Amino acid sequence: MLLIDRANELMDEHRLREAEFMFKAVLKENNRNGAALFGLGRLCIRLEDYDSAIYYLRRACENLPKQLEPLFTLAHCFIQVGSPVDAKTVLEYTLNVAQHSARAHYELGQFYLDYGFISQAKTVFSQGITCQNEEVTPYIFRELVQLASTHSLSSFITPLEKLLEEYDDKGLNIVTYYALGKCHHRLGHYDQAFEYFKLANSTQLQYCDFRTKDMLPLFEQIKQHFDSAFFEKATDRVTTTFIPTFIIGLPRTGSTLLEQMLVQHSCIGSIGENTALSDTIVPYLIKRSEAPFPYCFSNLSTSASDYCRSLYIDEIKKHRVPDEVVINKLPANFQNIGMIYRLFPDARFIHLTRDFGATAWSVYSNHFDANEPYFCSLNEFKLYAEAEIDLMAHFEKCIPKNILTLSYESLVAQPEKMINRVLRFLGQEYEPECMEYYEDHRPVNTLSKAQVRKPISKAPLTNWHHYKKNMIELLNDEQTDQSEQTNPVSP
């Protein structure tokens, strides 16, 4: 086992070839060593060699029959290669052999939820909370309190409160606070709901290692670098087989709803909330130019631009999206408009907006796994929203023909008219299937995964009204706290 342990350490250090050598050395001695097979399977996933990963993981599952992790990893791998039927088979088998495992219930329930099988998800999650508590139990409750019927919600409150006593883990407590907040909200206990959301946010904010104000200099640098003179320069002649399309804006402004409606169109596909621009292209340019973003875009050669385009096109190929219009719905790509325009001058940007109060409340009352301050503080979100509005105003002046602004309220009030407008912007004809988005079973991985499986509801427009007074008071309190921290008053 020493070789296996060392191989796993090397993999953690991203020394993949050395780890591969050690795993294969173990298999030379015993070609049925499950730990080595599992290690090679995970290593191949890191290398994005999914066919090899599936081969090794299948063998690992055969040779580690009492371990669930290889099965979960194999299911994940099938999803990556676009084989949800195989993933479903693996997860259903896993639950069948591990009926007392909360994790097995959670993984299958999440699969059902992601693919729009809401009633099956609710059934599996309901069974999952009867299992012995595990670390996934708060996450099961988080999903279940949004899916269950109202009359059953009261029975969840006591078990959730007990979870707070059982776990000495702030991360799990945060999830439990959100679940309790959602539960009380749906029961109409708005004061209790607000207190739990407040606990969830204030606890999560402690994990954030920066504040929104730290980002403001970057936004100013983006405006200064990608100024009107930048956009007036001649662009490369770029020929692509697709129209790069970006749904951008603040979180919780309806990007998932709009995406689901658009991808029903026969000529439109999506790569989801893809981060290739910031995770792959920007690091390449920073290393190449030895300058930080956005200055790494200064004096960009045609060959470097072509390489960056190829990186993004490879990402689309990886997702097997052959459509005429290819959507990237990562809201934060509003920061990357200048970069995108430089690479794809014909790119289209759909800027979603929404009433600030409704948006702020939707962010505040939902659990984002990322520990970023604007996800867990109303005042931090207000600062982020102001920066986004300012930056978008700048870009809309520079390239107005490339940007379409659409409000969430208009989309909900007049969905067919607004979809027609978006399709015209993308050079497409209207197709009625766009209005039947909620019947689709393609995967959705965002916080809105359950909402987009239903016809449009106007409830999100007014839900925040129950908390308007609390929000104003909290905004004032947070501003006072920040002021005192910045300018402490001597006793």
Side-chain angles (χ1 to χ4, degrees), residues 43-51 315 318:
L43 189 148
C44 289
I45 290 175
R46 295 272 288 275
L47 294 171
E48 298 186 349
D49 180 3
Y50 292 109
D51 290 339
E315 196 71 20
K318 192 187 305 177

Side-chain angles (χ1 to χ4, degrees), residues 63-202:
N63 291 284
L64 297 170
K66 295 183 180 181
Q67 293 190 24
L68 301 183
E69 199 61 42
L71 289 162
F72 297 139
T73 308
L74 177 60
H76 166 76
C77 209
F78 278 130
I79 290 172
Q80 290 297 311
V81 299
S83 299
V85 173
D86 289 317
K88 176 174 175 284
T89 299
V90 172
L91 291 172
E92 288 178 342
Y93 166 79
T94 306
L95 183 57
N96 187 54
V97 299
Q99 295 183 12
H100 301 296
S101 165
R103 171 81 184 278
H105 285 84
Y106 176 73
E107 295 290 345
L108 180 57
Q110 276 294 343
F111 174 87
Y112 285 145
L113 190 55
D114 286 352
Y115 283 85
F117 300 101
I118 305 301
S119 61
Q120 292 95 320
K122 183 166 67 173
T123 298
V124 172
F125 286 141
S126 297
Q127 294 167 349
I129 62 172
T130 66
C131 299
Q132 184 175 347
N133 290 341
E134 299 178 27
E135 288 191 356
V136 297
T137 302
Y139 291 89
I140 296 176
F141 272 108
R142 183 190 64 178
E143 304 295 358
L144 189 57
V145 297
Q146 299 178 78
L147 302 176
S149 58
T150 308
H151 74 267
S152 63
L153 291 173
S154 297
S155 64
F156 298 153
I157 292 175
T158 299
L160 280 166
E161 290 173 342
K162 286 183 178 178
L163 284 178
L164 292 174
E165 299 172 3
E166 180 174 336
Y167 292 117
D168 186 23
D169 183 313
K170 286 186 177 180
L172 295 178
N173 287 346
I174 289 167
V175 180
T176 308
Y177 290 144
Y178 276 111
L180 279 162
K182 288 284 185 184
C183 201
H184 282 293
H185 169 77
R186 292 192 60 205
L187 288 167
H189 307 156
Y190 301 120
D191 288 339
Q192 295 98 312
F194 186 80
E195 289 305 312
Y196 278 117
F197 288 134
K198 188 175 176 181
L199 273 170
N201 281 269
S202 60

Side-chain angles (χ1 to χ4, degrees), residues 11-24:
M11 193 155 62
D12 290 340
E13 296 167 9
H14 205 69
R15 294 161 66 181
L16 301 185
R17 293 305 177 192
E18 295 172 69
E20 181 183 20
F21 177 82
M22 286 196 172
F23 284 132
K24 287 184 175 179

Side-chain angles (χ1 to χ4, degrees), residues 374-391:
Y374 37 83
F375 290 149
C376 45
S377 160
L378 287 176
N379 202 52
E380 294 285 337
F381 181 75
K382 183 172 182 287
L383 198 57
Y384 184 73
E386 290 169 348
E388 187 269 349
I389 291 168
D390 180 62
L391 192 54

Side-chain angles (χ1 to χ4, degrees), residues 192-212:
Q192 295 98 312
F194 186 80
E195 289 305 312
Y196 278 117
F197 288 134
K198 188 175 176 181
L199 273 170
N201 281 269
S202 60
T203 306
Q204 189 166 11
L205 188 61
Q206 297 172 22
Y207 287 87
C208 301
D209 57 7
F210 71 98
R211 290 296 181 263
T212 307

Side-chain angles (χ1 to χ4, degrees), residues 165-268:
E165 299 172 3
E166 180 174 336
Y167 292 117
D168 186 23
D169 183 313
K170 286 186 177 180
L172 295 178
N173 287 346
I174 289 167
V175 180
T176 308
Y177 290 144
Y178 276 111
L180 279 162
K182 288 284 185 184
C183 201
H184 282 293
H185 169 77
R186 292 192 60 205
L187 288 167
H189 307 156
Y190 301 120
D191 288 339
Q192 295 98 312
F194 186 80
E195 289 305 312
Y196 278 117
F197 288 134
K198 188 175 176 181
L199 273 170
N201 281 269
S202 60
T203 306
Q204 189 166 11
L205 188 61
Q206 297 172 22
Y207 287 87
C208 301
D209 57 7
F210 71 98
R211 290 296 181 263
T212 307
K213 63 182 176 62
D214 301 329
M215 301 173 66
L216 301 185
L218 173 63
F219 288 140
E220 285 302 314
Q221 291 165 7
I222 291 172
K223 285 166 57 180
Q224 291 167 14
H225 186 75
F226 298 117
D227 58 7
S228 57
F230 172 90
F231 289 102
E232 288 167 5
K233 290 178 184 176
T235 56
D236 295 341
R237 290 185 178 181
V238 179
T239 302
T240 60
T241 59
F242 65 98
I243 301 171
T245 301
F246 299 83
I247 300 176
I248 54 175
L250 294 170
R252 306 300 294 168
T253 52
S255 61
T256 301
L257 172 62
L258 178 60
E259 178 204 38
Q260 282 299 103
M261 297 173 85
L262 290 176
V263 295
Q264 307 311 313
H265 194 282
S266 59
C267 297
I268 300 178

